[in-house]
Amino acid sequence: MKAKKSIQTTLVHSDYKAPASFDAYPMAVHHASTVLFPNVAAMRSRKWADKSGYTYGLHGTPTTFTLEARIAEIEGGRYCVLAPSGLAAISMVDLAFLKSGDDILIPDNIYGPNREVGDWLARAFGVSTRYYDPLIGAGIAALITPHTKLIWTEAPGSVTMEMPDIKAIARAANDAGVLVALDNTWSAGLAFNGFEHGADIVMQALTKYHSGGSDVLMGAVVTREPALSRRLDLAYRHMGLGVGADDAYLVLRGLPTMKLRFEAHDLSARRIAAWMQARPEIAKVLHPALPDCPGHAIWQRDFTGAGGLFSVIFDPRYSEQQTDRFVDSLDLFKIGYSWGGASSLVMPYRIDSMRSNWSEPGQLVRLNIGLESTDDLIADLEQALATLK
Ligand SMILES: *Cc1c(COP(=O)(O)O)cnc(C)c1O
């Protein structure tokens, strides 16, 4: 028989249990640091690493396991590990698969902070970091040494938009026993299947299309091979990474509408890209679905869509001061990093300071086409272009 409890203990432990039969379409959100075990034997028998049960909040809850499984399904992989940001997912890949003395190859057009991690690995951890031409294709074979362990790819580089030949890079890497990691954020995992094109590790910034709300930061790393998944789980554990239950829920909530949103972004972005291409102020539109974008043929061969992100290069007769005024004059396009949310965004980039190899003249401005009316966005661009005169 249970002893009568004082009110203080009743405040901590209640005897009430809600009926177990509740069911609804949305996932329940499980908040926990401590996970309770029914007895000592259960505690001793559960292993954090096999994810078949619950041991501690950091090692997974029904909410995070569900999100992991769903991201793995979308990417066509088997295993997924979440990270508190896309960048944390990138660092987790590097720390899982590299040690001092190893060599890593990173495309020259990679997402900027990924490059900064590469420089940090070289500076602080004795890794040799080299940057390669994103359009290198099968030529990557000539850069691989016995020390090369990992090749990063991004399809396409999300500022200058060159589309790499993942298949050719992966074939050369596989022949040499080198792992290929793909940043698949641009395609949301909807328009491109990284594994079917030879990637071993697929990384996503769930911050972008998966969330869709511009209100959560999260990343994911997906694999197919148990040995790779184990290495990632260890890195995740040693780095003490974890994601909050409410954040995981926000991403789960975004999934059912992600493809519809992605297609709406894509349709609007292609119309706006074509409109920009016809403007005399614009020297180049960098959108992989346009025939003169570097790597366009690869996009056509491998991708089923494009999403909402592309860049333009202004005619070199316009100074940075003038194109900054263009950016400042936009009304619906807000100035801010990131993409994949409902609001259109704009960001000018100083490319020559970001790349080892960039000789294209003219100012580069990146556009994230949101979910506003396409006609309103075009009208906004038109009035801002008029300020260049
Ligand atoms: C945003 C982004 C990331 C990083 O995601 P965060 O959650 O912002 O850290 C990585 N890769 C690409 C291509 C991105 O656009």
Side-chain angles (χ1 to χ4, degrees), residues 152 247 308 364:
W152 267 104
D247 285 351
L364 185 145

Side-chain angles (χ1 to χ4, degrees), residues 84-88 90 111 154 156 158 183 185-186 203-208 216-219 309 338-339 366:
S85 68
L87 185 56
I90 289 168
Y111 172 69
E154 186 184 348
S158 50
D183 183 335
T185 305
W186 188 78
M203 170 259 148
Q204 270 292 344
L206 307 178
T207 305
K208 310 291 163 56
V216 59
L217 290 155
M218 201 176 294
L309 191 77
S338 197
W339 38 285
R366 188 177 80 171

Side-chain angles (χ1 to χ4, degrees), residues 324 327-330 332-337 344-348:
D324 283 359
V327 170
D328 280 332
S329 305
L330 288 163
L332 297 176
F333 287 84
K334 309 299 179 192
I335 303 169
Y337 291 108
S344 289
L345 296 172
V346 57
M347 184 55 70

